[in-house]
Amino acid sequence: MPLPPSSAKPTLAAIARGTGVSTATVSKVVNGRADVSDETRAKVLTALEEAGYRSPSQRRGPAGPDVVEVAFDTVDSAYPSALLNGILDHAASTGVEVVVSTTGRRRAAEPGLDRKAQRIINEGRAGVIVVTSAYGEPGLSALLRRQIPVVVIDSYNPPPADVVSVGAANWAGGKAATEHLLGLGHRRIGYLGGPEAIECNQARLHGHLSALASHGIEADPGLVLHGRFRAEYGIEGLAALLSRTHPPTAIFAGNDAIAVGVLREARRRGVRVPEDLSLVGFDGTALARDSVPALTSVAQPLQEMGRAALRAVLRQARGEQPDTHRVELATQLVVRESTAAPETSGVVLPSPVS
């Protein structure tokens, strides 16, 4: 039996007849229940989309302000807090409400993402801002198939071409961090990054390597390590670098959390920062300002990134086309107390290669 035409007001019963399942099963799919097979769920979701089905709450029309959902892995660090402050600041000025959801650190399975996308429709969200690694291409595709406005902030991997993304100038920031250390006289500079394959980590590393190359310095692969954007990895990473035959005199950490871990381990080992080891972080969060010593860091404009993401998702919700699918904001090196010239080095660096 064919599905109802798009001009009709499809009911769950009509969708059930068209797909050969029970009305109860269709209801379970609409409400995101788990007790439906993946094959049946996919068939029902396709039918709902083709029929233009909208939940009763959507058909009643908006009863209040727009609501935007912001999806994080977790909110237990300074980075998401700063982004959220920017989102909330712009939301307050526009009368928009913000709902926060978390996915945890494990990438969700595609059926779970389909349920989440349908739940977002059922709850009448104006759009979604994604600040999480759990939304890979399958998760974003689940949102796009349902025409849910979506913006990604500093995504782990390049999003689909038609998804708006907001981020910072990671390559330029990585280059600035290493140029600062080179200017102080450091030659052996370690890089402790986040997960190797993710886009922002790769850009920061490439900026670091570019700075070394511009001064005619060959990068030592043994001084480049990858882990997680967590303080625990800073502890592990410093231990690994100090075990080298020729350890570095400076470290560029892929984010402030890693740098704080380096500080903790350095203190435990009696390594003085910056006298024995200079250290630069990335993000410019409160962690950098409040650490001891205060951390030199490449500051991302995190609050402005949050505001830009909310502006972009609201434009989509109004049916406007984005001016650009990539918003990239400038970074700024903030020099504090964790960097200095190496005490034992009288080395004068060569001028940058033209």
Side-chain angles (χ1 to χ4, degrees):
M1 181 178 294
L3 294 172
S6 58
S7 59
K9 293 184 178 180
T11 64
L12 296 188
I15 298 295
R17 289 194 299 272
T19 53
V21 301
S22 69
T23 302
T25 297
V26 176
S27 178
K28 289 179 180 180
V29 173
V30 168
N31 289 289
R33 291 270 297 276
D35 51 340
V36 180
S37 72
D38 293 345
E39 181 180 357
T40 298
R41 185 184 309 282
K43 179 168 62 175
V44 172
L45 286 173
T46 299
L48 289 167
E49 292 166 14
E50 291 176 350
Y53 175 81
R54 295 171 66 83
S55 68
S57 63
Q58 290 176 292
R59 294 198 297 269
R60 284 194 298 269
D66 286 333
V67 178
V68 173
E69 183 160 326
V70 186
F72 293 94
D73 275 346
T74 67
V75 289
D76 62 351
S77 66
Y79 174 84
S81 297
L83 286 172
L84 186 56
N85 282 338
I87 294 169
L88 292 173
D89 177 69
H90 189 62
S93 69
T94 55
V96 172
E97 292 187 356
V98 174
V99 174
V100 174
S101 64
T102 58
T103 63
R105 297 193 179 279
R106 296 175 61 187
R107 185 176 296 275
E110 188 167 358
L113 294 169
D114 278 328
R115 290 195 297 271
K116 182 180 287 291
Q118 188 61 47
R119 187 265 303 163
I120 288 169
I121 288 179
N122 295 341
E123 294 176 354
R125 304 290 193 237
V128 181
I129 297 173
V130 174
V131 197
T132 170
S133 60
Y135 275 85
E137 186 169 349
L140 294 174
S141 296
L143 298 174
L144 293 175
R145 284 197 302 272
R146 293 159 178 81
Q147 298 183 324
I148 299 171
V150 58
V151 173
V152 176
I153 296 181
D154 227 352
S155 58
Y156 271 28
N157 298 293
D162 50 352
V163 172
V164 175
S165 64
V166 176
N170 289 296
W171 184 89
K175 189 171 189 293
T178 301
E179 287 282 3
H180 170 65
L181 294 169
L182 290 168
L184 291 172
H186 295 278
R187 281 183 174 272
R188 291 189 60 77
I189 303 171
Y191 177 76
L192 293 180
E196 183 172 6
I198 71 172
E199 188 176 26
C200 64
N201 179 73
Q202 283 289 317
R204 293 168 196 177
L205 172 60
H206 290 160
H208 163 72
L209 296 176
S210 176
L212 293 178
S214 72
H215 286 270
I217 298 173
E218 185 176 354
D220 181 348
L223 297 184
V224 176
L225 301 176
H226 301 280
R228 297 184 301 149
F229 283 130
R230 308 288 289 177
E232 293 83 356
Y233 181 65
I235 295 170
E236 298 170 10
L238 179 61
L241 289 177
L242 292 182
S243 70
R244 300 290 191 261
T245 303
H246 300 291
T249 63
I251 292 175
F252 169 32
N255 77 340
D256 289 344
I258 293 174
V260 166
V262 171
L263 284 175
R264 291 177 188 167
E265 182 65 7
R267 188 176 300 114
R268 190 185 73 81
R269 290 172 174 260
V271 175
R272 299 170 301 162
V273 175
E275 293 87 353
D276 302 323
L277 180 73
S278 281
L279 178 64
V280 178
F282 200 107
D283 283 342
T285 61
L287 283 175
R289 184 190 65 238
D290 298 338
S291 64
V292 180
L295 185 65
T296 295
S297 181
V298 177
Q300 298 191 74
L302 296 174
Q303 293 196 27
E304 180 53 36
M305 286 163 59
R307 287 188 284 267
L310 183 55
R311 286 194 294 268
V313 83
L314 291 175
R315 287 193 64 182
Q316 292 180 58
R318 294 193 297 264
E320 301 174 18
Q321 291 298 314
D323 294 328
T324 177
H325 284 85
R326 173 62 180 174
V327 178
E328 186 168 284
L329 303 178
T331 54
Q332 179 182 9
L333 178 70
V334 179
V335 178
R336 296 191 177 93
E337 301 166 1
S338 66
T339 51
E343 285 193 341
T344 58
S345 174
V347 173
V348 176
L349 287 173
S351 299
V353 176
S354 59

